[in-house]
Amino acid sequence: MSEQTNNNMALAVSRRGLLKFSLMGSAMLATAGVTASLTGCSSSMPQDGYKVLRKEDVAFLSATIPVVMQGTFAADKIAESTLITLKSFDHSLAHFSPEVLKLVQQLFDVLGMSITRGPLTGVWGGWENASPAEVANFLERWKNSAISLLNMGYGSLTQLIPMAWYGNPEAWGHCGYPGPPTI
């Protein structure tokens, strides 16, 4: 065989392997999400003070929001800004279609279950104990993953969190937006 044929075969094998790996990863994530929902691994009741977000979701988002919004929140108001973003995120989720809400909750289920959280994110303990560096590594891991489902999860998180923050009047002054026009 020529060198060109060998290179083409190696490329085809690696593509096939990547497709198989992506398919297995997608199936694992989907199974984990459905399993969590059906077995009650995640509570279906919202945490007190929230319309949709559950206790596990709040822990995950409380760890993730400051990392995603790094450099956006005033240094002395990170906890306050995170809470504002959580409330806005919850409000937005309450107004999502049932189908989209179900997908977001399945993502949170996968991220909340210890059996899937560790291997998929590298965060082996609970989210409440995760350092900002661990959360940043998890986000970078999902951003650059060969599994498209993880890329989509990354994209969803890094779009929904800023939308929740910038949808609040509290955020407008920081970015110089005077607010909507008034009559």
Side-chain angles (χ1 to χ4, degrees):
M1 273 192 231
S2 72
E3 185 177 327
Q4 180 67 25
T5 306
N6 286 338
N7 288 340
N8 287 340
M9 285 179 59
L11 189 57
V13 170
S14 66
R15 283 186 194 148
R16 187 177 302 130
L18 177 63
L19 287 173
K20 285 180 182 179
F21 180 73
S22 294
L23 184 60
M24 288 187 318
S26 297
M28 183 184 84
L29 286 174
T31 303
V34 170
T35 302
S37 298
L38 294 177
T39 61
C41 282
S42 63
S43 68
S44 59
M45 297 300 299
Q47 181 170 326
D48 288 341
Y50 293 92
K51 298 173 189 171
V52 177
L53 291 175
R54 303 159 297 184
K55 181 180 178 183
E56 304 86 15
D57 306 339
V58 170
F60 165 70
L61 288 169
S62 293
T64 306
I65 288 171
V67 174
V68 170
M69 300 304 291
Q70 184 176 14
T72 303
F73 297 158
D76 60 335
K77 295 188 177 187
I78 292 175
E80 179 185 341
S81 298
T82 298
L83 183 59
I84 290 168
T85 307
L86 270 170
K87 293 289 187 178
S88 179
F89 197 102
D90 182 61
H91 178 76
S92 296
L93 284 178
H95 293 89
F96 280 4
S97 70
E99 293 81 17
V100 173
L101 176 60
K102 183 177 178 180
L103 289 172
V104 172
Q105 286 181 324
Q106 284 178 344
L107 173 63
F108 288 162
D109 287 345
V110 168
L111 291 166
M113 287 178 36
S114 59
I115 194 166
T116 53
R117 180 184 53 245
L120 290 174
T121 67
V123 176
W124 295 93
W127 287 108
E128 53 279 340
N129 300 322
S131 70
E134 288 176 310
V135 175
N137 287 338
F138 140 67
L139 290 169
E140 191 67 23
R141 183 177 184 170
W142 278 34
K143 177 183 175 183
N144 298 316
S145 176
I147 302 172
S148 63
L149 199 55
L150 299 182
N151 299 138
M152 289 188 298
Y154 167 82
S156 297
L157 291 170
T158 57
Q159 290 174 16
L160 290 172
I161 290 171
M163 284 176 27
W165 169 246
Y166 287 113
N168 281 297
E170 292 89 347
W172 299 346
H174 178 73
C175 65
Y177 176 59
T182 57
I183 298 178

